[in-house]
Amino acid sequence: MIRSAGCFVFLGLTVVCGSAFTGVSPGRADEPITAATPAPSEKLDRFEPLTPEQAIKAFEVAPGFRIELVAAEPLVVDPVAFCFDPAGRLIVAEMIDYSEREQDSVGRIRRLTDRDGDGLMDQAETLAEGLSWPTAVETFPGGIVVGAPPHIYFVPVQDDAQGKAVAGKPEIWFTGFSRSNVQGMMNSFRWGSDLRLHGASSSNAGDITGITLPEPLRLGRQDFSLDPRDRSVRLVPGGAQHGMDFDAWGHKYLTSNSDHLQQALMLGNVPGRAARFSASPPLRRSIAADGPSADVYRSSPPEPWRILRTHMRVTGAAVGIVEGGGRAAGYFTGATGVHLIESDQWPATEHPIAVVCDVGSNLVHRKRMVDQGLWKRGERIDDKTEFVRSSDTWFRPVQLGGGPDGALYIADMYREIIEHPKSLPPLIKDQVDLNSGNDRGRIWRVVADNRPVRRQIAPLDQMNSAALVKLLTHPNHWQRRTAARLLAERQAIDVQPAVRKLATDADAAAQTRLEALAVLEMLPAGIDRDLLAASLADAHPQVRQRGIELATRLGMELSAVQVAALSGDESIAVRFQLAYNAPVLIPDLATRTEVLANVAQSDSADAWVLWAVEGSLGEGAIDFMQAIERTAANWPPATRAAWYRAIACQVLSGNSEAAVARLVESLQAADASGSVNDALLPAIIAELGGIRPDGVAKPLAQWVREQISPEMIRQAEERAPGLAAAGARMRLVGWASPDQARELLQLLFSPLQSVAVQQTALVSLVGNDPAAAQLVLKGLGAVTPATADLALTTLASRVEGQTAIAKAIEGGQLPAESLSADLKRVLSESPDAAVKGLIAKLLASSQSPPPGELYQTYVKTLHGQPDLTSGEAVFRRVCATCHDPQPGLQRVGPDLVTVVEQPKEQILLSVLDPNREVNPKYSRVQIVTQSGQVLAGIITEESESTITLVDSQGKSYGIARSDIEDLQTSPKSLMPEELNKEITPAQMRDLIAYVGTLRNAASASGAAP
């Protein structure tokens, strides 16, 4: 959850480190501590807390704004989440038991009221207490919903005749949210533009059960939403750590510790879309123009304990990576909340404004959100300063939100230390008090100077429905959204005509029309074809996009006129949504194929449009290929390859003999005519070998087998100059019969065959016939080491192959030390217990010495004169696959540009001991499919129907959930252990020196660090 510790990931290792300034001079973030820096005192001084009156003077606020106190202790303590109820009262979740009082259950929910209208809360009522680690709260029909993992509670709340709260006993609605990491728990309840209550699952996730879930629901890397009408749960895109919000259009934004601003595409489940894809682009991505862990400009001085810890880490006295080459601050390390501002308290701007808090740097940052096609780009507004910052190190902004008056509200946990306990060395932890400040807390508001000091806001829950309809036109987002959900809650059919009129009112703001549409969707028979037609023809693209979503949820087919207009829409977002939702909106296959071809030709280079179109092709894939063939001839080779790959994948997934026959004939004809060149063939034919024939009708598999003979290999080899094309053609052997496969394998294990043909054919042949394992093992001596490693890795991709390798090692046919680090990891985590135990026993004798011992050996040469050419060669051989992959493959390790400023000693420790702390994002996941295939890597995306896994080679697999037999997440990093066996001390010196040159290269090219 709350985190001031920087989360730096290097080669799959996550280590928590400090977020305050380092260096001896207070307030300097640009003076890195080095091994030569004089050691600070081991007896720690501390900063004293400020009273609310003193604290307000410690703030710096951007020109044109001011900050005001709303509430302080004892009225509120340790606020980590808040919301306003319809009456304008503040509901606060107090996490008094953060971070080590897990068993104390002293968290509570309080309701704060400003009774005299002076702007300060003066009454506090307890709605729930005895909670353990409460992290989220929001109002809900009849009460409040509280997140306190492992549970989501509903607390009934009513007011008595005197207006005092009468809270009922908390009811557990859902349970199963993980508590394994206090900084990665479910959080951030927000009402979405669909008038559902959304929550962030965070990095812990869980398998959820509850009142409307007859079967456990696995969250994985997805968020969730609740329908207020029936309490049903829906999985939605997300998966960041702490902090989530929506703008007025329904775009979703997230924060995730050092990755301070992200966006997730909010896409629903569309019946009829494909379950398998040639490639799945991420549905969540960083959008900050200045990079995930961008620079921040704090005004608070460094705490002595942070200085000491940084020095201890730099000198090796304590474990942990030091960020920024010794700077423990100066950039985002603890982003814990995001809020999109839309209110009349703020000057009119061309672009929406996002504000993000950094709990470790005592500040609130802001960005303008600029359109970039389907995505936004966040651009810094404040030059070398921040929107709000405090010189008080106790100021801990952990969550942001808007209120009835349009002001920005800040939850300030006001703690001396917010730090993960495991990140503090014993010398420091023995001197600090992690509970210091758990009796304090503040709520602040930020308003514009030229706005009223405070405004009296009428309680919305006491308004009649007609008055609420008028509030749908309010300039403040909170007023509109609250009025909309109250109308939905009341099922206010008496004002349905007035809401309908707003939904089509061209003079109203587009945001108002969106809110009106959301209300009508919640009302009986609230949306009909005429209303949908109006929204699909609306002047604003966001309304047109919402119309497409509504039509899909209601199962309404579009007319030919509507389809023609939307497929040629000026907005890529509209075109994308139409393509994504096409299986429902355009059931006629011929019409749909034509529309998808038009969209593809408009946005051929956009990976998300490609994915949207691919999933909607269905049985029209071949006709689609013919429709775009002339236009595709002018596309860059990489773009053409991506589209042909998508077409091939969908044809083969359709289990249609006739469709695959047409595909093969089309490709053969195109190849014969020269329209499919050698650069394109690998991408096309790779898909033919990428799908096992047991997934296709047997007559079709037999038809393909008849086209294959050993002569194909010879012919392919003779076709110059395209070895790559020859290798691609060999993917076809994946359709060979077992006898054909063995015959081809014997031909392949010869020095006469090219590496390209050997490698590409191995993947298909071995996967097709597990019994061919013995042929592979016998032939290893006749191929290059790279091909031998690929052959073994291919064998290990099936349980039968893993057994064959284990027996070969046990029988002395294969030396255990010849296995690569990756392959050892795969075998040591085999789903076959016998293989797992045997490998553990056989590899035990070859284990490396402990990291400390290794570290002392390697550190001796670390600062010698490096050979950068040698370092680059080691990087390309060992590291590039994960951290700098070839085009067409995905990075599965972090961009090393973000860690090159670390001291060399810290990078060395990361390489030698990659499992010291692992970011869940880079945890290794192993999936066994129904057909027995074993895949291992990191999960990059999840949807309701598929999981996208990227293996250590950078290859992406879209796996249908229905195809998964078993899924296991390892606590270890994807980065291999025992890399010391592949990198000598001198090579390590050269490698780390080369990695240190990457930031300069990135800066020279203009890339964001």
Side-chain angles (χ1 to χ4, degrees):
M1 198 207 75
I2 304 163
R3 191 170 209 165
S4 68
C7 221
F8 238 103
V9 186
F10 176 68
L11 301 174
L13 164 70
T14 304
V15 176
V16 177
C17 33
S19 68
F21 287 89
T22 62
V24 176
S25 301
R28 293 297 301 275
D30 55 353
E31 293 182 1
I33 288 178
T34 68
T37 302
S41 172
E42 293 185 358
K43 183 177 180 181
L44 298 175
D45 296 324
R46 58 186 290 265
F47 294 116
E48 294 295 330
L50 303 181
T51 66
E53 294 76 18
Q54 294 169 326
I56 200 166
K57 296 177 182 178
F59 283 111
E60 295 179 28
V61 187
F65 296 91
R66 68 181 183 275
I67 192 165
E68 302 172 347
L69 182 68
V70 177
E73 66 276 0
L75 217 60
V76 62
V77 295
D78 289 320
V80 298
F82 66 90
C83 66
F84 285 89
D85 70 10
R89 296 167 296 201
L90 190 59
I91 315 293
V92 182
E94 299 180 330
M95 195 177 183
I96 303 169
D97 41 3
Y98 177 83
S99 60
E100 293 187 298
R101 300 176 63 189
E102 179 179 0
Q103 305 302 323
D104 290 357
S105 297
V106 292
R108 63 187 181 184
I109 307 298
R110 304 266 273 176
R111 187 173 81 176
L112 308 182
T113 305
D114 175 13
R115 293 176 298 180
D116 58 10
D118 66 351
L120 283 171
M121 299 296 172
D122 49 39
Q123 181 188 56
E125 301 169 277
T126 299
L127 304 183
E129 57 189 348
L131 302 174
S132 178
W133 285 351
T135 54
V137 65
E138 184 54 86
T139 59
F140 205 77
I144 57 173
V145 175
V146 177
H151 309 308
I152 289 181
Y153 297 94
F154 175 72
V155 182
V157 179
Q158 292 183 340
D159 289 347
D160 63 16
Q162 288 73 42
K164 294 182 179 180
V166 179
K169 182 180 179 180
E171 307 165 8
I172 296 177
W173 273 7
F174 303 97
T175 191
F177 293 91
S178 174
R179 292 167 58 91
S180 61
N181 179 1
V182 69
Q183 296 182 344
M185 298 193 298
M186 167 256 292
N187 63 90
S188 299
F189 289 163
R190 296 286 185 269
W191 285 100
S193 61
D194 54 2
L195 300 186
R196 296 174 65 94
L197 182 62
H198 291 249
S201 299
S202 194
S203 57
N204 287 349
D207 295 339
I208 311 305
T209 58
I211 57 174
T212 56
L213 292 173
E215 299 292 335
L217 179 67
R218 170 163 288 186
L219 290 176
R221 295 184 183 274
Q222 299 177 93
D223 290 343
F224 61 92
S225 68
L226 304 178
D227 191 323
R229 295 170 295 185
D230 58 10
R231 286 34 166 183
S232 59
V233 183
R234 179 187 299 165
L235 295 178
V236 297
Q241 188 168 337
H242 187 90
M244 178 268 290
D245 198 18
F246 296 93
D247 65 15
W249 309 111
H251 300 129
K252 183 175 182 178
Y253 303 93
L254 313 103
T255 52
S256 197
N257 201 31
S258 57
D259 193 345
H260 72 284
L261 188 59
Q262 304 178 351
Q263 182 183 349
L265 293 184
M266 294 299 290
L267 299 171
N269 185 35
V270 175
R273 282 189 58 79
R276 295 176 177 86
F277 295 90
S278 59
S280 297
L283 299 182
R284 172 172 61 93
R285 60 185 289 193
S286 297
I287 59 171
D290 43 358
S293 52
D295 287 345
V296 295
Y297 300 91
R298 54 182 288 170
S299 59
S300 49
E303 301 101 316
W305 69 265
R306 290 189 186 276
I307 298 174
L308 175 59
R309 185 180 65 175
T310 303
H311 191 278
M312 293 176 69
R313 288 179 170 177
V314 168
T315 58
V319 174
I321 292 178
V322 178
E323 300 171 311
R327 296 184 306 143
Y331 43 86
F332 272 102
T333 60
T336 61
V338 61
H339 176 60
L340 274 292
I341 292 173
E342 187 194 8
S343 98
D344 58 1
Q345 277 283 350
W346 304 84
T349 59
E350 179 182 357
H351 304 288
I353 302 297
V355 284
V356 179
C357 50
D358 189 336
V359 66
S361 298
N362 320 116
L363 58 85
V364 178
H365 173 88
R366 64 174 171 170
K367 278 184 160 67
R368 65 176 63 87
M369 310 304 293
V370 180
D371 282 330
Q372 292 285 293
L374 295 175
W375 301 91
K376 302 289 185 179
R377 185 181 72 243
E379 298 179 347
R380 168 178 276 277
I381 295 175
D382 303 289
D383 185 25
K384 298 190 184 305
T385 186
E386 299 297 342
F387 180 58
V388 175
R389 62 182 182 176
S390 176
S391 58
D392 179 8
T393 58
W394 287 58
F395 172 55
R396 302 296 185 185
V398 296
Q399 192 58 274
L400 305 167
D405 56 357
L408 169 67
Y409 285 78
I410 304 171
D412 173 10
M413 200 169 182
Y414 208 76
R415 288 282 192 116
E416 182 176 6
I417 296 172
I418 291 187
E419 196 71 22
H420 199 294
K422 292 182 179 180
S423 73
L424 297 173
L427 174 63
I428 293 176
K429 191 172 181 182
D430 289 344
Q431 299 184 65
V432 299
D433 180 4
L434 294 180
N435 291 309
S436 179
N438 69 354
D439 58 348
R440 300 171 186 268
R442 285 90 192 261
I443 305 288
W444 307 93
R445 73 162 67 87
V446 180
V447 296
D449 281 337
N450 60 352
R451 296 302 192 267
V453 175
R454 63 191 60 87
R455 290 182 291 182
Q456 296 298 319
I457 304 298
L460 271 64
D461 57 341
Q462 297 179 19
M463 291 183 176
N464 61 37
S465 296
L468 290 178
V469 172
K470 293 180 180 178
L471 282 181
L472 297 179
T473 66
H474 201 285
N476 289 349
H477 177 71
W478 185 93
Q479 296 278 343
R480 291 198 310 273
R481 183 59 44 84
T482 304
R485 65 184 187 82
L486 286 175
L487 287 168
E489 177 185 339
R490 295 176 183 180
Q491 289 291 285
I493 58 176
D494 55 319
V495 295
Q496 192 164 304
V499 179
R500 182 185 178 89
K501 182 178 180 181
L502 271 183
T504 58
D505 186 354
D507 294 328
Q511 296 93 323
T512 290
R513 297 198 293 277
L514 285 178
E515 295 291 355
L517 286 171
V519 172
L520 291 170
E521 187 182 11
M522 290 281 190
L523 299 181
I527 294 182
D528 57 23
R529 288 191 174 278
D530 290 341
L531 187 57
L532 271 178
S535 65
L536 293 170
D538 195 274
H540 200 286
Q542 294 290 345
V543 180
R544 298 196 296 274
Q545 185 177 4
R546 184 64 53 81
I548 293 173
E549 295 171 345
L550 288 172
T552 304
R553 289 198 287 268
L554 297 173
M556 294 185 179
E557 180 181 347
L558 301 186
S559 70
V561 173
Q562 290 168 335
V563 167
L566 294 170
S567 64
D569 198 280
E570 63 181 6
S571 167
I572 186 175
V574 173
R575 299 192 299 270
F576 166 84
Q577 200 72 55
L578 178 66
Y580 181 83
N581 296 53
V584 170
L585 301 178
I586 315 173
D588 179 70
L589 187 60
T591 304
R592 187 198 318 164
T593 301
E594 181 182 355
V595 168
L596 295 174
N598 291 338
V599 173
Q601 291 162 355
S602 298
D603 308 290
S604 61
D606 189 281
W608 289 271
V609 169
L610 185 153
W611 174 74
V613 169
E614 179 184 351
S616 298
L617 287 175
E619 296 178 359
I622 297 296
D623 293 331
F624 174 85
M625 181 175 72
Q626 295 172 347
I628 67 169
E629 188 172 18
R630 181 172 299 177
T631 304
N634 299 317
W635 294 347
T639 302
R640 296 172 62 203
W643 282 99
Y644 277 108
R645 187 165 58 241
I647 295 164
C649 181
Q650 292 312 308
V651 169
L652 290 168
S653 297
N655 201 39
S656 165
E657 179 179 349
V660 175
R662 285 184 64 196
L663 173 65
V664 174
E665 291 172 358
S666 298
L667 293 175
Q668 289 173 340
D671 189 26
S673 67
S675 62
V676 181
N677 59 28
D678 286 343
L680 193 56
L681 270 172
I684 301 172
I685 305 183
E687 290 305 324
L688 290 175
I691 295 182
R692 291 170 50 76
D694 56 12
V696 186
K698 289 182 180 179
L700 172 61
Q702 183 60 39
W703 179 85
V704 177
R705 286 170 180 163
E706 291 172 358
Q707 317 306 311
I708 300 170
S709 70
E711 184 64 23
M712 176 185 293
I713 296 179
R714 301 187 183 94
Q715 293 176 354
E717 278 288 83
E718 292 170 0
R719 283 192 62 163
L723 278 183
R729 288 185 176 82
M730 292 317 304
R731 298 278 185 173
L732 284 169
V733 300
W735 295 77
S737 68
D739 290 340
Q740 288 175 315
R742 296 185 191 109
E743 183 180 359
L744 291 171
L745 268 175
Q746 290 174 332
L747 288 172
L748 285 168
F749 280 99
S750 163
L752 299 177
Q753 301 297 340
S754 74
V755 173
V757 170
Q758 288 175 331
Q759 293 185 348
T760 53
L762 268 171
V763 172
S764 296
L765 287 170
V766 176
N768 188 42
D769 179 20
Q774 292 304 317
L775 285 174
V776 173
L777 291 168
K778 289 178 181 179
L780 293 179
V783 295
T784 64
T787 302
D789 184 61
L790 177 71
L792 289 171
T793 302
T794 304
L795 275 184
S797 70
R798 301 189 65 81
V799 177
E800 300 94 329
Q802 294 177 356
T803 302
I805 293 173
K807 290 181 178 178
I809 296 174
E810 186 178 34
Q813 182 183 355
L814 182 66
E817 57 269 18
S818 68
L819 303 182
S820 68
D822 260 349
L823 191 54
K824 291 176 184 176
R825 170 69 62 77
V826 170
L827 295 173
S828 67
E829 297 179 358
S830 171
D832 186 318
V835 172
K836 187 175 182 179
L838 178 61
I839 292 299
K841 178 182 176 181
L842 295 173
L843 297 181
S845 60
S846 62
Q847 292 296 314
S848 296
E853 207 176 309
L854 278 176
Y855 179 85
Q856 295 304 324
T857 300
Y858 276 74
V859 79
K860 292 176 182 178
T861 61
L862 195 57
H863 293 283
Q865 184 62 36
D867 180 343
L868 293 180
T869 301
S870 166
E872 182 176 8
V874 176
F875 179 82
R876 295 299 166 198
R877 174 171 60 87
V878 180
C879 311
T881 300
C882 290
H883 297 280
D884 187 21
Q886 295 296 314
L889 299 176
Q890 293 192 37
R891 178 187 290 132
V892 293
D895 187 345
L896 296 187
V897 170
T898 63
V899 296
V900 297
E901 289 186 357
Q902 296 174 32
K904 294 180 178 180
E905 291 83 357
Q906 301 299 325
I907 298 178
L908 173 63
L909 184 63
S910 302
V911 177
L912 296 179
D913 190 9
N915 298 314
R916 190 173 296 265
E917 274 191 68
V918 181
N919 185 335
K921 178 180 178 181
Y922 295 100
S923 291
R924 185 175 184 276
V925 175
Q926 179 173 273
I927 292 175
V928 181
T929 67
Q930 297 286 354
S931 64
Q933 187 177 19
V934 182
L935 300 170
I938 63 170
I939 292 178
T940 56
E941 292 296 331
E942 290 190 65
S943 71
E944 290 188 358
S945 58
T946 62
I947 289 177
T948 301
L949 180 141
V950 179
D951 67 15
S952 61
Q953 303 302 306
K955 185 174 181 181
S956 177
Y957 298 86
I959 308 165
R961 290 185 183 274
S962 58
D963 288 346
I964 297 175
E965 180 176 306
D966 184 57
L967 183 152
Q968 297 291 330
T969 299
S970 169
K972 294 184 176 181
S973 163
L974 187 65
M975 177 184 170
E977 301 172 48
E978 298 189 333
L979 282 177
N980 56 290
K981 291 187 175 181
E982 299 189 30
I983 308 173
T984 68
Q987 290 173 335
M988 188 72 76
R989 172 200 64 208
D990 300 339
L991 170 64
I992 292 176
Y994 171 73
V995 169
T997 67
L998 296 180
R999 178 173 289 276
N1000 291 337
S1003 298
S1005 66

